[in-house]
Amino acid sequence: MTAIYSRIAIIGIGLIGSSVALAARRAGIVDHIVSCDSDPEVAPEVKHLGLADSFTADAVEAVADADLVVMSVPVGAIGALAAQIMPAMKPGAVLTDTGSTKRSVVRDVTPHVGDGIHWIPSHPLAGTEHSGPGAGFPDLFKGRYWLILPGEVPEVEVARFEAFVTAMGAVAERMDADYHDKVLALTSHLPHLIAYTIVSTAVNLESQLKNDVIRFSASGFRDFTRLAASDPVMWRDVFINNDEAVLEMLQRFSEDLSDLQRAIRWGERDKLESLFHRTREIRRSIIDAGQS
Ligand code: NAP
């Protein structure tokens, strides 16, 4: 395949950044990858894993001459990073991010976007509980949605970026920031919040009980511990930057939980069973949609 972007700069070469490097390289859609990370321990690992043609700790140096710049750093850091690199970006280049919240990223980056820069916020719906450059793999995006916010960018540039993510195996879908944050609050952010809460409830149990919870951990609790092992900085930033939608979904969740609590207390067998039938259908539709 011929290159879709000749030179790309990936700033923040953790799980997502390294997966972009590996997937883009394998698809043959880039000629040169420059990677950049603020963590000094990352440089030798990037070299060892062959994640880039060149590496620099200086983001300004990384973006010079890049046709596509991917900001894959925690959402709380994206605005300041955009402000820092913008004067060094090449006119006509595409700037994107992979952040898990979109309203805050659009708010923090848009005021800095220079003339001739095509700002296309985006979010790949793919990830694991691992972080760092060693966690990436080229199939991370395979069959996963990659949400794209086209804004006012010319159609030809949006289509080119869509071709880029599609070549990495993702399914491109356009969305706006408000809708994105509402959907993700329920499908991703709330489940992580619940997982962090359940695991911290276990931590607070008296020690014998806690030890046995860990020792006899069955699949339900084990699944929550996987989610609760996700990167602390990334998730701190997600909750702080999508507070409105998360609090709204949490309110609804609390009401539904109280309803369930009441059904258990009053022995409402039919109510419990019919709810569990409905939720089982949701699981089946996720499997049918190939997103399990
Ligand atoms: P990660 O594995 O923790 O990697 C992020 C890297 O960026 C770290 O090495 C970090 O260094 C570095 N960094 C932070 N600020 C920087 C800056 N200003 N300049 C250069 N490097 C900087 O994170 P990730 O999981 O790949 O997530 C990256 C982004 O993708 C986040 O916005 C996240 O919300 C989003 N995302 C994540 C997932 C997921 O499942 N993990 C899924 C979809 C989207 P330090 O460690 O020194 O800070």
Side-chain angles (χ1 to χ4, degrees), residues 40-199:
E41 287 177 19
V42 162
E45 222 178 331
V46 166
K47 212 170 191 177
H48 173 69
L49 296 167
L51 291 174
D53 299 294
S54 52
F55 179 89
T56 168
D58 180 356
V60 169
E61 189 188 317
V63 304
D65 281 335
D67 303 293
L68 170 70
V69 174
V70 181
M71 299 184 289
S72 38
V73 302
V75 287
I78 294 177
L81 176 63
Q84 184 196 356
I85 60 176
M86 200 60 68
M89 280 189 66
K90 183 167 92 171
V94 171
L95 174 67
T96 191
D97 76 301
T98 63
S100 304
T101 68
K102 289 276 72 80
R103 263 160 49 116
S104 70
V105 170
V106 169
R107 177 199 65 207
D108 295 347
V109 173
T110 308
H112 304 295
V113 176
D115 285 346
I117 303 298
H118 304 300
W119 162 225
I120 308 178
S122 79
H123 178 200
L125 301 189
T128 71
E129 70 277 25
H130 304 295
S131 33
F137 55 99
D139 277 335
L140 179 66
F141 309 115
K142 196 173 167 196
R144 301 287 168 200
Y145 283 108
W146 193 307
L147 304 179
I148 291 170
L149 284 66
E152 306 293 306
V153 171
E155 177 57 31
V156 61
E157 293 298 340
V158 179
R160 188 148 80 114
F161 184 65
E162 282 177 334
F164 178 76
V165 307
T166 306
M168 290 192 293
V171 180
E173 178 100 5
R174 299 184 186 192
M175 203 174 262
D176 73 47
D178 282 1
Y179 194 67
H180 169 278
D181 282 9
K182 277 194 190 128
V183 170
L184 268 292
L186 186 75
T187 58
S188 169
H189 308 168
L190 190 58
H192 276 84
L193 196 67
I194 293 167
Y196 282 123
T197 313
I198 290 183
V199 176

Side-chain angles (χ1 to χ4, degrees), residues 202-271:
V203 168
N204 292 334
L205 294 172
E206 64 265 32
S207 66
Q208 179 58 43
L209 188 51
K210 181 170 89 180
N211 288 342
D212 284 339
V213 163
I214 292 167
R215 196 152 69 101
F216 300 125
S217 177
S219 65
F221 184 70
R222 239 185 290 137
D223 290 347
F224 281 120
T225 59
R226 188 183 61 74
L227 284 187
S230 301
D231 190 73
V233 172
M234 172 191 152
W235 282 96
R236 174 203 67 192
D237 280 9
V238 168
F239 292 122
I240 297 292
N241 286 286
N242 196 19
D243 53 342
E244 222 176 90
V246 169
L247 291 174
E248 155 78 16
M249 293 304 168
L250 193 57
Q251 179 62 32
R252 287 168 182 247
F253 175 78
S254 305
E255 288 164 17
D256 291 342
L257 193 61
S258 301
D259 203 29
L260 210 57
Q261 202 174 0
R262 200 183 148 81
I264 295 169
R265 188 182 305 286
W266 294 103
E268 295 174 333
R269 306 162 71 94
D270 292 349
K271 184 171 180 169

